[in-house]
Amino acid sequence: MKKNIVVKIGKNNVANDLPLTLIAGPCLIESKEHAVDMAGKINEICSLLNINFIFKSSFDKANRTSIKSARGIGLNKSLSIFSEIKKKIKCSITTDVHEPDQCSKVSKVVDLLQIPAFLCRQTDLLVAAAKTKKPVNVKKGQFLSPSEITNVINKIKNNNKILLTERGYSFGYNNLISDMRSLVIMKKTRLPVIFDATHSVQQPGGLLTSSDGQREFVSVLAKAAVSTGIAGILIETHNNPDKAPSDGPCMLPLKNLQVLLEKLIELDFITKNN
């Protein structure tokens, strides 16, 4: 049997048969103070639980529902904040890129480039991300079957430094469904598979001018996904989700993160040691 591919991201080794990695942070960079504070608090939890941690937050939400929706503070300010987080917290960092010319700039600061689900078939963006030689996390589109992900992989060919993220599949209007078979199918590539537990509960455009969400199901889906034996879990979290400028209805309150992680770590250990 062929071995699972291990992708090194900063100081973390990520693979489907290694202990669980957490990718987490607020959906959007709101300010330097907030981002550093969130990264620090999540890092403290992860250090306590001995779980790998990659901080994730977006400098721009380029595919918001409405023209009036908050998009973020922009690339240059956010890169400065990411640098500050690396200096103070000393954790790995990822953020999403939307345009090919952003890839080289972002790769100088972050450890992992993330391709948004809506853009997972954008050839020029994928090629530009691969050219940076940094690991690339592709979020599988809500319109894409897990078997089709091989076409995306073939566009990157980045020395196998690729992560594949499941974030739900469109199921009628304003709704997503998480098919756990997708995780098993994508694991056949031997690449690390990540489950995005918070965007999977999103209800796209559910509030007409913004997306809604059902964060009460984050824990259920996260536990189900981890029980399949995957490399990591992506959980957007916030100290006050109801006041967050982006994806508040989907994000897990920071106060609930440690309890959920304790359960996930236990499930992950049982799954990978039996």
Side-chain angles (χ1 to χ4, degrees), residues 235-246:
I235 299 175
E236 288 192 337
T237 184
H238 197 282
N239 58 303
N240 189 358
D242 292 332
K243 298 294 183 181
S246 175

Side-chain angles (χ1 to χ4, degrees), residues 164-223:
L164 306 174
T165 293
E166 171 63 56
R167 54 132 318 149
Y169 191 86
S170 294
F171 189 69
Y173 297 129
N174 311 118
N175 196 26
L176 300 171
I177 188 168
S178 294
D179 183 356
M180 297 303 160
R181 294 176 299 178
S182 176
L183 302 173
V184 178
I185 293 168
M186 291 198 293
K187 280 173 60 179
K188 292 178 180 178
T189 65
R190 301 186 295 118
L191 293 167
V193 173
I194 310 295
F195 181 71
D196 184 340
T198 42
H199 284 102
S200 290
V201 303
Q202 188 183 66
Q203 295 176 308
L207 298 176
L208 297 184
T209 57
S210 64
S211 292
D212 202 355
Q214 297 175 301
R215 75 168 73 105
E216 65 268 26
F217 295 122
V218 168
S219 176
V220 174
L221 293 181
K223 287 184 282 188

Side-chain angles (χ1 to χ4, degrees), residues 7 34 245:
V7 177
H34 183 259

Side-chain angles (χ1 to χ4, degrees), residues 48 100 264:
L48 179 67
L264 297 181

Side-chain angles (χ1 to χ4, degrees), residues 79-263:
L79 290 181
S80 175
I81 292 170
F82 289 143
S83 295
E84 185 74 9
I85 290 171
K86 292 196 78 167
K87 180 181 177 181
K88 286 189 173 182
I89 312 301
K90 295 180 172 56
C91 62
S92 299
I93 295 176
T94 185
T95 194
D96 32 18
V97 289
H98 304 90
E99 301 171 5
D101 64 359
Q102 293 175 346
C103 294
S104 61
K105 298 176 184 177
V106 173
S107 69
K108 291 180 173 63
V109 178
V110 309
D111 305 279
L112 172 69
L113 298 179
Q114 180 172 287
I115 305 296
F118 282 134
L119 302 178
C120 71
R121 289 176 56 174
Q122 295 292 101
T123 302
D124 290 346
L125 178 61
L126 292 167
V127 170
K131 284 182 178 178
T132 67
K133 302 301 182 183
K134 284 292 179 77
V136 178
N137 178 23
V138 180
K139 300 187 76 174
K140 182 177 73 62
Q142 303 92 320
F143 45 83
L144 211 63
S145 70
S147 299
E148 292 174 84
I149 201 67
T150 54
N151 295 320
V152 176
I153 294 168
N154 288 335
K155 290 182 179 182
I156 302 178
K157 295 285 188 181
N158 195 16
N159 298 321
N160 288 327
K161 294 189 292 185
I162 304 166
L163 276 60
L164 306 174
T165 293
E166 171 63 56
R167 54 132 318 149
Y169 191 86
S170 294
F171 189 69
Y173 297 129
N174 311 118
N175 196 26
L176 300 171
I177 188 168
S178 294
D179 183 356
M180 297 303 160
R181 294 176 299 178
S182 176
L183 302 173
V184 178
I185 293 168
M186 291 198 293
K187 280 173 60 179
K188 292 178 180 178
T189 65
R190 301 186 295 118
L191 293 167
V193 173
I194 310 295
F195 181 71
D196 184 340
T198 42
H199 284 102
S200 290
V201 303
Q202 188 183 66
Q203 295 176 308
L207 298 176
L208 297 184
T209 57
S210 64
S211 292
D212 202 355
Q214 297 175 301
R215 75 168 73 105
E216 65 268 26
F217 295 122
V218 168
S219 176
V220 174
L221 293 181
K223 287 184 282 188
V226 168
S227 70
T228 67
I230 55 174
I233 197 90
L234 194 160
I235 299 175
E236 288 192 337
T237 184
H238 197 282
N239 58 303
N240 189 358
D242 292 332
K243 298 294 183 181
S246 175
D247 274 348
C250 306
M251 282 195 282
L252 185 76
L254 181 62
K255 64 182 181 180
N256 298 339
L257 181 62
Q258 182 172 333
V259 172
L260 176 56
L261 286 178
E262 288 171 350
K263 295 175 182 176

